[in-house]
Each structure stands twice: as structure tokens, then as C-alpha cells.
Amino acid sequence: QSVLTQPPSVSGAPGQRVTISCTGSSSNIGAGYDVHWYQQLPGTAPKLLIYGNSNRPSGVPDRFSGSKSGTSASLAITGLQAEDEADYYCQSYDSSLYVFGTGTKVTVL
Amino acid sequence: QVTLKESGPVLVKPTETLTLTCTVSGFSLSNARMGVSWIRQPPGKALEWLAHIFSNDEKSYSTSLKSRLTISKDTSKSQVVLTMTNMDPVDTATYYCARAIFGVVKSNWFDPWGQGTLVTVSS
């Protein structure tokens, strides 16, 4: 059972900005653990998108950005593109165990 | 180039034990700043973390599945093995292994992931 809550879906037109929230608690995000984000394109394995709350691995476009505050984190996609249609998951740490978010499907209208 | 590849049966019967192997390349399982986790994803559902093994052989398990899981590694073969006992149809999922990277304190993430292997539990 996921302890990090995400909206099931978000959508936007090409070029728009969308945000995905990841809500945790005082035992995970609120305890100071970093949040990381993964993108899962249809039929493929998840891929690291953001690590350490706001850092982009090499090759990830700068239209993806992450932030963290209190017991929550957010992923923003600016200048939404058709290829961004995918599932997105946040991940953190809780009581010495890894935890994932419930996942959010991004639809490009 | 770092890669991970899962292997194992595609079909298991209820009550059987599942054994999956993750073969890694491009990094050592003895690297203190890395580890390997197993993560699964039932069809159409979210990711679920299962187990992790550290370079010093320390292990951690999902609280809900701890009694059924065993993770081990063979550093010389660059392999990490996961066994799950008493399989049930609800365990049908794609099983991934992923390298965990330990950043600064309180910051661990997965990169890269294996391609995943779909395991179906059915009689």
C-alpha cells in the first residue's frame, strides 16, 4: 500500500504547464527524506526523472522540475509535449523502507 | 554502461515458490554507495517496493511481504536473487530490479531499472 499520495490523473494541452503533487507525512517526506520522480512510458520500465527533490539526470529536459516543502513534493512539466504522456511516480523513504507514490497519469490533450 | 536484467519463470502455479535473478553489469555489488532492490507492478497498478540488499549484505523487506521474501546476492556472479514463497494470483505482476544509489544522507534513488519480467500466477 502506497504511503505517498498522488492525483490519479492530470491533463493539459501541448505547451501548457502541469503539476503533480506527492503528499506524504512526518515519517517520510516530512522527516527530511528526499523525493525522487520516475517517468514510465507505456509498456516500458520506469526511468529516473528527478532525484534529490530537484535535480535532473543528464539527458532529462529542463521542462521537468521538482520541488519539496514540508510533507509534500511536486513535479512540474512546463511546455507540455505529446511525448510526455506517461505515468509518473514519486519515491521516498519511510522507516528504513522505500516507498512509492500512487502514480499519476499525464494525458496530453 | 550500467544495465540490469531480470530472469525467471513467466508462469508459476499457486502455492509455488518464485525465484527471480537479476544480473547486473557496469557496477559492482560490493560498491558501498549502491545496492539493488526488487520492485513489482501488477497490471495497470502502481509500483510496489519489495526488498533491498546492500553491499554489506544487509537486507530490508516490505513489511507486508516480509514473511514470504528472501533476497540474496552473489557478488562474484554479479547476481541478486529474490525468492517469494506461496505465490498467489494476486502476485501476478511485472517484477523489476533496480540499482539504488545512495546520495547524501536521507537521499536514495533508483537508477537504472531492468526491463522487467512479467510473472503470471495461475493453475
Side-chain angles (χ1 to χ4, degrees):
Chain A
Q1 227 163 355
S2 301
V3 298
L4 303 179
T5 303
Q6 300 177 230
S9 64
V10 299
S11 61
Q16 284 191 329
R17 179 179 187 267
V18 297
T19 61
I20 301 170
S21 60
C22 174
T23 302
S25 67
S26 58
S27 65
N28 41 68
I29 299 175
Y33 291 107
D34 280 356
V35 178
H36 319 287
W37 293 89
Y38 303 87
Q39 178 192 58
Q40 187 175 31
L41 297 170
T44 69
K47 169 193 151 187
L48 180 68
L49 195 64
I50 297 285
Y51 67 94
N53 303 319
S54 59
N55 301 291
R56 284 186 308 276
S58 174
V60 172
D62 60 6
R63 64 177 184 275
F64 293 95
S65 62
S67 63
K68 172 191 158 184
S69 178
T71 58
S72 296
S74 290
L75 173 72
I77 311 174
T78 56
L80 193 64
Q81 298 185 7
E83 67 222 48
D84 299 333
E85 190 158 288
D87 294 324
Y88 294 81
Y89 294 91
C90 59
Q91 174 250 313
S92 188
Y93 212 55
D94 187 315
S95 304
S96 301
L97 303 176
Y98 293 98
V99 290
F100 285 98
T102 50
T104 298
K105 180 173 182 60
V106 170
T107 301
V108 182
L109 302 172
Chain B
Q1 181 189 7
V2 174
T3 63
L4 301 93
K5 186 169 185 178
E6 307 86 351
S7 58
V10 296
L11 179 67
V12 297
K13 291 181 169 56
T15 75
E16 287 186 340
T17 294
L18 170 69
T19 299
L20 294 172
T21 299
C22 175
T23 302
V24 311
S25 64
F27 74 101
S28 171
L29 295 175
S30 61
N31 188 320
R33 297 198 62 82
M34 299 173 184
V36 173
S37 271
W38 284 95
I39 298 147
R40 72 178 179 179
Q41 184 175 37
K45 296 189 176 181
L47 300 169
E48 178 184 20
W49 175 79
L50 300 177
H52 182 86
I53 191 162
F54 296 83
S55 60
N56 63 359
D57 217 38
E58 183 180 339
K59 297 142 188 170
S60 60
Y61 296 99
S62 162
T63 302
S64 61
L65 294 168
K66 186 173 184 176
S67 64
R68 299 173 53 205
L69 296 172
T70 302
I71 191 170
S72 62
K73 67 182 174 76
D74 185 330
T75 302
S76 64
K77 292 184 178 179
S78 295
Q79 292 182 332
V80 176
V81 176
L82 180 77
T83 62
M84 179 180 289
T85 61
N86 194 25
M87 293 292 285
D88 184 272
V90 299
D91 296 313
T92 294
T94 296
Y95 288 75
Y96 298 98
C97 58
R99 180 181 67 167
I101 297 175
F102 307 143
V104 297
V105 175
K106 294 188 173 182
S107 189
N108 307 339
W109 61 89
F110 300 111
D111 182 52
W113 296 54
Q115 64 188 24
T117 184
L118 175 61
V119 178
T120 301
V121 184
S122 174
S123 54

